[in-house]
Amino acid sequence: MRQDWLVIGISGATCSGKTTLATGLRERLSSDLARRKIGCVEVINQDDYFLPEEHPQHQHIDHFGHVNWDILTALDMDRMCSDVDAMLSQTSQSAVNILIIEGFLVFNHPLLVEICNPKFHLHVPYEIAFARRRTRTYSPPDFTGYFETCVWPMYEKHFQEIKDRTDIRLLNGALATEKCLDYVCEILRQYL
């Protein structure tokens, strides 16, 4: 990792507000570029790295005949890490550049969890995640029962892998977006 980059990690449950937080953070930091001498603010979204549905690497949920989209092997993590590395190799004359990496399994990948500092994890209760997910359209679409049998159990499993890390700040994704954004911006003052 380069000294002239601050890499912010945002992870969390499905529909917990990760992308909304990353977008809001990018907007706030970008509007403040000149005053803080920030070179650039970039965002990499893990959702952009899902493998095609027919990819042989996918694991299928046998009793549903459906791809398990909620595990690292459903993603092209090599390409994502390569894109992160390429971004961090760019230089600027400014004091610091900012890269925001957001996604549901950012902290479950060994390279990404190490290069992100600070780290934020958004959590929402099952009921909120379920209600929010029902309002979204996915391609391919969720099948009936996918949330209950795959999405939420996988989230709980992946959260268990990171929950004891003291370097990850837990955020309440059920709060108003502005509250989470204000809190994260306050923490970032320590880094900028």
Side-chain angles (χ1 to χ4, degrees):
M1 185 176 73
R2 297 188 51 89
Q3 294 286 341
D4 54 347
W5 282 90
L6 173 64
V7 182
I8 302 166
I10 300 173
S11 187
T14 183
C15 302
S16 61
K18 301 177 297 295
T19 304
T20 302
L21 178 59
T23 302
L25 196 53
R26 178 186 205 172
E27 289 171 5
R28 278 206 192 172
L29 293 169
S30 294
S31 69
D32 213 16
L33 291 181
R35 192 167 52 111
R36 293 187 189 247
K37 298 184 180 175
I38 295 171
C40 65
V41 181
E42 302 291 343
V43 177
I44 290 183
N45 303 89
Q46 194 171 41
D47 282 355
D48 293 338
Y49 295 90
F50 279 107
L51 293 165
E53 190 172 5
E54 67 281 355
H55 197 280
Q57 181 174 306
H58 282 305
Q59 293 182 22
H60 292 266
I61 305 166
D62 291 335
H63 56 284
F64 287 112
H66 191 277
V67 169
N68 183 348
W69 296 104
D70 289 273
I71 52 179
L72 277 172
T73 56
L75 299 150
D76 188 344
M77 293 307 298
D78 289 341
R79 185 169 62 90
M80 183 177 182
C81 290
S82 177
D83 288 352
V84 167
D85 187 52
M87 184 72 62
L88 297 180
S89 68
Q90 298 176 18
T91 60
S92 147
Q93 300 303 316
S94 300
V96 68
N97 298 301
I98 297 174
L99 175 59
I100 303 166
I101 302 175
E102 74 87 9
F104 69 112
L105 291 175
V106 169
F107 302 145
N108 299 89
H109 188 275
L111 172 69
L112 298 181
V113 74
E114 291 309 315
I115 66 170
C116 292
N117 189 29
K119 301 173 184 74
F120 301 96
H121 181 89
L122 286 153
H123 176 77
V124 291
Y126 176 97
E127 296 78 17
I128 291 175
F130 182 71
R132 289 178 180 176
R133 190 158 175 122
R134 290 180 58 193
T135 67
R136 302 227 178 133
T137 302
Y138 292 93
S139 179
D142 282 355
F143 60 84
T144 302
Y146 182 67
F147 182 89
E148 302 88 345
T149 60
C150 190
V151 174
W152 196 256
M154 289 289 97
Y155 167 68
E156 288 181 323
K157 175 186 180 293
H158 294 129
F159 183 66
Q160 288 300 312
E161 295 171 5
I162 65 165
K163 73 177 181 68
D164 294 327
R165 290 188 64 115
T166 57
D167 58 341
I168 298 175
R169 290 176 175 88
L170 296 178
L171 303 176
N172 182 350
L175 294 176
T177 302
E178 288 298 312
K179 286 196 176 208
C180 286
L181 189 53
D182 289 343
Y183 173 77
V184 169
C185 287
E186 189 62 36
I187 296 297
L188 292 181
R189 289 183 189 188
Q190 302 169 28
Y191 294 85
L192 297 173

